């Protein structure tokens, strides 16, 4: 589909929809960032409180001691944070699918990455180190050929990868009780990872806003051009 095949009514609708999904995706990212700030606060509280005389929650050999109130509240914070991340992922993927489809329509060219990578690109090892950023960058470049990719896109992705590879970020493998133990004994790596995730969330929200704004601008320009009657002289 090329610009010329766009209908004015469809353009108006798509323009409003991508702006709406962009706002929701940016909000979801900031919500996830706030959840990770809360995690960091609780990890500092755990570090300051110090490990109880009874030892870590996971006693080894399949034995777990009863959690104290601070440890229980950390479990609650991480559960709420997990919910925020799921919501963020759904909103971000909805936005990403929309800008990808719009970029294809505006450019008349097929995207660089097949649609399945919108989802698998986040979880397939090695591929998840660059495919998601590539999908965002491809949508931007097809929307605005020749324009420089927003710096926020690269900042978002670098911080995301740092948080992911740190082992305690969004895709950590440790259980919550193991994270609690680490907060008691080595809180600084946890906080560094949290900072990377929060930074990625903020940069991601800025990237979403930047890409959405460029695409909205292009779609509105196309709509204005399509509204000019054929043969009419250009506006002064």
């Amino acid at each position: 589909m090329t610009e010329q095949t766009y209908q004015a009514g469809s353009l108006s609708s798509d323009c409003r929809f991508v702006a709406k999904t962009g706002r929701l995706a940016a909000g979801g990212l900031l919500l996830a960032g706030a959840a990770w700030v809360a995690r960091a606060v609780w990890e500092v509280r755990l570090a300051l409180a110090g490990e109880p005389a009874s030892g870590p929650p996971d006693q080894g050999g399949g034995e777990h001691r009863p959690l104290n109130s601070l440890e229980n509240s950390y479990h609650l914070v991480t559960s709420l944070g997990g919910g925020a991340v799921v919501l963020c992922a759904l909103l971000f993927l909805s936005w990403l699918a929309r800008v990808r489809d719009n970029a294809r329509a505006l450019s008349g060219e097929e995207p660089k990455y097949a649609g399945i990578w919108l989802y698998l690109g986040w979880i397939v090892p090695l591929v998840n180190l660059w495919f998601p950023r590539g999908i965002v960058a491809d949508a931007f470049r097809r929307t605005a050929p020749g324009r420089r990719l927003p710096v926020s896109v690269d900042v978002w992705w670098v911080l995301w990868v740092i948080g992911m590879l740190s082992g305690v970020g969004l895709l950590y493998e440790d259980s919550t009780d193991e994270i609690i133990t680490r907060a008691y004994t080595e809180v600084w790596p946890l906080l560094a990872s949290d900072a990377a995730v929060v930074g990625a969330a903020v940069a991601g929200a800025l990237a979403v806003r930047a890409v959405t704004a460029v695409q909205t601008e292009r779609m509105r320009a196309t709509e204005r051009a399509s509204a000019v009657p054929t043969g009419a002289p250009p506006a002064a």
Side-chain angles (χ1 to χ4, degrees), residues 2 55 64 108 136 147 153 167 185 187 194 198 207:
T2 64
H64 290 74
V136 174
R147 292 185 63 168
V153 174
T185 60
V187 72
D194 292 338
V198 172

Side-chain angles (χ1 to χ4, degrees), residues 142-207:
R142 293 182 189 280
T143 297
R147 292 185 63 168
R148 187 172 182 178
L149 186 69
V151 174
S152 55
V153 174
D154 288 326
V155 174
W156 156 66
W157 192 246
V158 168
L159 292 174
W160 165 270
V161 171
I162 291 173
M164 179 174 62
L165 296 182
S166 69
V168 290
L170 289 172
L171 302 179
Y172 63 88
E173 296 181 357
D174 290 349
S175 69
T176 303
D177 283 349
E178 289 171 328
I179 295 292
I180 290 173
T181 300
R182 294 181 66 176
Y184 285 138
T185 60
E186 47 178 1
V187 72
W188 290 111
L190 290 175
L191 296 180
S193 178
D194 292 338
V197 173
V198 172
V202 174
L206 294 174

Side-chain angles (χ1 to χ4, degrees), residues 38 43 48-49 73 76 88-89 92 94 101 114 133-134 156 166-167 178 183 187 197 205 233:
E43 286 158 7
L48 292 176
S73 64
L76 176 61
C88 172
F92 186 86
S94 175
D101 289 346
R133 176 203 173 274
W156 156 66
S166 69
E178 289 171 328
V187 72
V197 173

Side-chain angles (χ1 to χ4, degrees), residues 3-17:
E3 289 186 26
Q4 288 74 20
T5 61
Y6 258 131
Q7 298 295 321
S10 175
L11 268 172
S12 297
S13 176
D14 287 345
C15 189
R16 288 192 298 270
F17 191 67

Side-chain angles (χ1 to χ4, degrees), residues 21-140:
T21 58
R23 288 192 296 270
L24 290 173
L29 283 160
L30 294 177
L31 177 63
W36 246 252
V37 169
R39 282 174 59 108
V41 169
W42 254 256
E43 286 158 7
V44 169
R45 292 181 64 192
L46 287 165
L48 292 176
E51 187 173 86
S54 54
D58 186 349
Q59 302 279 292
E63 294 185 11
H64 290 74
R65 66 165 172 77
L67 300 178
N68 60 36
S69 60
L70 182 57
E71 292 165 346
N72 269 321
S73 64
Y74 183 73
H75 271 267
L76 176 61
V77 167
T78 55
S79 295
L80 293 175
V85 169
V86 171
L87 177 61
C88 172
L90 293 174
L91 294 173
F92 186 86
L93 289 175
S94 175
W95 169 80
L96 187 56
R98 173 56 54 176
V99 295
R100 178 181 178 274
D101 289 346
N102 287 346
R104 174 172 53 191
L106 287 165
S107 66
E109 301 172 351
E110 287 299 312
K112 182 178 180 180
Y113 301 90
I116 190 65
W117 292 115
L118 281 171
Y119 312 102
L120 292 184
W122 299 90
I123 58 177
V124 175
L126 298 181
V127 164
N128 62 359
L129 296 179
W130 75 88
F131 268 35
R133 176 203 173 274
I135 294 171
V136 174
D138 184 58
F140 178 87

